[in-house]
Amino acid sequence: MLKQAKEIQSIQRQFQEINAMLMSIVSKLTLTGNPMVSTAIQDITGVAQAIENVQHEAGDQLKALMAIGSMINSSLSKDRVLEEVMDALIALMHAERGFLMLRGQNGELRPVVARGVEHINLVEKAFDFSRTIVRKVADSCEPILTTNAQEDPRFESQLSVAAYQLRSILCAPLKIKQDLIGVIYVDNRARSGMFRDSDLELISAFANQAAVAIDNADLFEDLERSNFKLEKANRNLEQAYQKTLEGWVRALDLKDKETEGHTQRVTVLTERLARSMGVEGDALEHIRRGALLHDIGKMGIPDSILLKKGELTEEEREQIRQHPIYAKSMLKDIEFLKHAIDIPYCHHEKWDGTGYPRGLKGMEIPFAARIFAVIDVWDALVSDRPYRKALPPEEVRAHINADAGKHFDPHVVRAFLELKDLSV
């Protein structure tokens, strides 16, 4: 198509140059005032008008071919592409009627879009002639031009020719590589003018580009269907993951009645604080999952220690401190949770480096864990526990503020203290 468009543009430029030259000659002859040149002026003016008409026609052809080129790179629906191909073809060929047929899964050609035809049904007798041409084009994969349809011996039935007074017909195959995907067909009656031999090359170039546009639309719709199925599968998988996480959390809550509800509360508040600090998208989802699973490592702590009523020994405290390591071990090989490990693994680290399990300091502590640490302490202190009553919120705020730069990231503390809503 690019070659065809360049040729048309070149012809247009040549015609413009010739036209300008002719007009210059006319101007000079007129200035002489010689009456003998009047006939020559008329002849030259007629040639100039003919050139202008050809220029206009070449411009229409170029527009139609460029329109098909833009469709090739578009993301239009297949139905829209078919409609625009048909409109461009009718305009390009100056045809009265036309239709486009595509090959179905069973190999049969079926009409999908038409112009100037009220009822496209190639089974009807009125379309015997058109059907004959379509069949010949489909079988040969070569375009056909007839300039005298009523007397053309190549075709079987003349019924529709006489009924519609058909005179000139063009039909071309739509091919992708060597595979036929359909045909395009246009016709005119005698009074509308006949197609020329040059139109055979033009409709062939058009058909080649139209086939690519239609095939691209097919591929785009296939891709959309595949993406829809993939997105649906991902949603289902995501829901399954979420149910699994919630199941783990419920199991931990059932195991440790003293902190029941803690996980849900800290998850909501951690997400709220993260949003206020500009976290969004996937990063926010990883934080939410990490908060849900922050104590999952306690599943590896013996009940005799985790549920002990009395004071823990130093060895037992050391065992408790292993739960972040257990959490990492449990989660590290689960692909969709690998970015959520920061909170379960690092939420007991402290800004001044006195936390565990690794003694990370300052910015070494992952951002998600620094956010969560503040919320974790907040919820623990404002909630009733068997060994103490909940502290007043203002007292807890003061405690957290006092620990900025020691236990907590000062920047996170400032953002936390600015939160208006800490209810769940």
Side-chain angles (χ1 to χ4, degrees), residues 183-202:
V183 296
I184 51 176
Y185 170 103
V186 288
D187 62 33
N188 275 326
R189 288 178 285 190
R191 69 171 184 268
S192 302
M194 292 191 300
F195 300 124
R196 304 182 297 271
D197 289 339
S198 60
D199 291 326
L200 194 63
E201 181 180 351
L202 186 60

Side-chain angles (χ1 to χ4, degrees), residues 54 68-69 123 129 136 144 172 182 206 229 245 252 287 355 373 402 404:
V54 173
I68 290 293
V123 176
F129 191 82
K136 287 184 180 293
I144 283 179
F206 180 93
K229 290 178 181 177
L245 296 187
L252 189 57
I287 286 178

Side-chain angles (χ1 to χ4, degrees), residues 258 302-314 316:
E258 290 185 0
D303 288 352
S304 59
I305 297 175
L306 187 65
L307 305 179
K308 186 177 178 179
K309 298 299 184 183
E311 187 176 348
L312 297 176
T313 66
E314 187 55 38
E316 289 169 339

Side-chain angles (χ1 to χ4, degrees), residues 219-234:
L219 293 174
F220 185 75
E221 288 191 351
D222 287 345
L223 180 62
E224 282 192 322
R225 283 192 291 269
S226 297
N227 285 341
F228 176 78
K229 290 178 181 177
L230 183 59
E231 287 173 5
K232 185 176 180 181
N234 284 339

Side-chain angles (χ1 to χ4, degrees), residues 137-236:
V137 169
D139 290 343
S140 67
C141 277
E142 295 293 336
I144 283 179
L145 162 68
T146 178
T147 56
N148 191 354
Q150 298 185 36
E151 297 180 6
D152 197 317
R154 291 177 294 175
F155 311 114
E156 298 169 2
S157 171
Q158 302 301 313
L159 178 61
S160 62
V161 176
Y164 190 68
Q165 298 180 337
L166 288 178
R167 185 75 180 179
S168 193
I169 297 170
L170 272 172
C171 188
L174 296 167
K175 296 185 293 183
I176 295 296
K177 295 182 180 178
Q178 298 304 314
D179 295 330
L180 181 81
I181 67 168
V183 296
I184 51 176
Y185 170 103
V186 288
D187 62 33
N188 275 326
R189 288 178 285 190
R191 69 171 184 268
S192 302
M194 292 191 300
F195 300 124
R196 304 182 297 271
D197 289 339
S198 60
D199 291 326
L200 194 63
E201 181 180 351
L202 186 60
I203 197 173
S204 296
F206 180 93
N208 289 338
Q209 300 307 309
V212 174
I214 293 167
D215 188 55
N216 281 359
D218 263 334
L219 293 174
F220 185 75
E221 288 191 351
D222 287 345
L223 180 62
E224 282 192 322
R225 283 192 291 269
S226 297
N227 285 341
F228 176 78
K229 290 178 181 177
L230 183 59
E231 287 173 5
K232 185 176 180 181
N234 284 339
R235 285 196 300 270
N236 291 340

